Amino acid sequence: MTDDANAPWLIVGLGNPGPEYAANRHNVGFMVVDLLAERIGGKFKRAQKAQAQVVEGRMGAPGPANRRVILAKPMSYMNLSGGPVTALRDFYKVPTARVVAVHDELDIDYGVLRLKLGGGDNGHNGLKSMTKSMGAEYHRLRFGIGRPPGRMQVADFVLKDFSSTERKELDYFVDRAADAVECLVTEGLERAQSAYNS
């Protein structure tokens, strides 16, 4: 699929479905797209053609920078995200370069954001599944969660809720991540990187 100036953007929050995972570090992608849905005044509903929940709407000020967006939360588990995301990409005719994965990132400090296009999966099972399913040339918004303390296993760490200390700043960081996605979609990667890659 070629990049088309009028094509929509598909913004995917990566996470695990179910209330027991809702506040986990691994679900920060869901938190960011939930906030974006609130901002565009949409409610998630079940997608017709994919195992996912979606909201359709527009982002950006009225005029040439206004973009059609589909916000999505795959309802498969994290390590199977590729199937639902690829199905949504194909259904909505979204060029791969207009897909944005919002995900937790162990290798950056808590709350630090990094936007990029393409690259490796860095051991992240959601990205691994997406890349296997549709190639690596999609955008990522990496939301730093830091490394596990002491000898805690990575899997245990990402599936734990944010600590009480982290929660004090979580709303601020999620808000900033949502701003970064909006900037990427309406103003482009370079502008968003210079504003939000700390």
Side-chain angles (χ1 to χ4, degrees), residues 27-38:
N27 271 42
V28 75
F30 276 17
M31 296 173 198
V32 174
V33 293
D34 280 341
L35 178 57
L36 286 166
E38 213 176 283

Side-chain angles (χ1 to χ4, degrees), residues 11 20 26 55 68 73 76 118 122 132 138 154 158 166 175 192 195:
I11 299 153
E20 68 274 33
H26 223 18
V55 171
R68 184 172 162 233
K73 296 192 288 189
S76 60
N122 218 14
K132 187 176 173 195
Y138 54 90
V154 164
V158 298
E166 288 169 333
D175 198 61

Side-chain angles (χ1 to χ4, degrees), residues 5 37 58 60 67 75 77 85 92 135 143 159-160 172 188 196:
R58 301 197 76 85
R67 301 276 180 262
M75 290 289 115
Y77 285 98
V85 175
Y92 288 105
F143 185 112
L159 293 175
K160 279 209 171 9
Y172 168 74
Y196 293 97

Side-chain angles (χ1 to χ4, degrees), residues 103 105 116-124 127-128 131 136 138 140 142:
H103 64 92
E105 177 64 67
K116 66 177 194 166
L117 174 62
D121 56 55
N122 218 14
H124 192 288
L127 296 181
K128 203 175 285 182
T131 297
Y138 54 90
R140 299 104 196 273
R142 303 156 71 201

Side-chain angles (χ1 to χ4, degrees), residues 96-174:
T96 302
R98 286 197 171 203
V99 175
V100 184
V102 183
H103 64 92
D104 58 308
E105 177 64 67
L106 286 157
D107 285 339
I108 352 185
D109 290 340
Y110 174 58
V112 172
L113 303 175
R114 292 268 190 285
L115 284 146
K116 66 177 194 166
L117 174 62
D121 56 55
N122 218 14
H124 192 288
N125 289 331
L127 296 181
K128 203 175 285 182
S129 176
M130 282 180 63
T131 297
K132 187 176 173 195
S133 194
M134 63 183 198
E137 287 307 299
Y138 54 90
H139 285 86
R140 299 104 196 273
L141 173 62
R142 303 156 71 201
F143 185 112
I145 59 168
R147 302 293 306 181
R151 294 168 182 264
M152 188 190 284
Q153 293 295 312
V154 164
D156 295 334
F157 179 69
V158 298
L159 293 175
K160 279 209 171 9
D161 290 359
F162 285 100
S163 70
S164 54
T165 310
E166 288 169 333
R167 280 199 300 271
K168 287 178 185 148
E169 293 183 295
L170 183 60
D171 286 350
Y172 168 74
F173 289 139
V174 167

Side-chain angles (χ1 to χ4, degrees), residues 179-198:
D179 290 347
V181 171
E182 289 189 2
C183 185
L184 168 65
V185 168
T186 59
E187 299 185 52
L189 180 60
E190 275 184 34
R191 181 68 200 272
Q193 283 175 325
S194 66
Y196 293 97
N197 280 16
S198 29

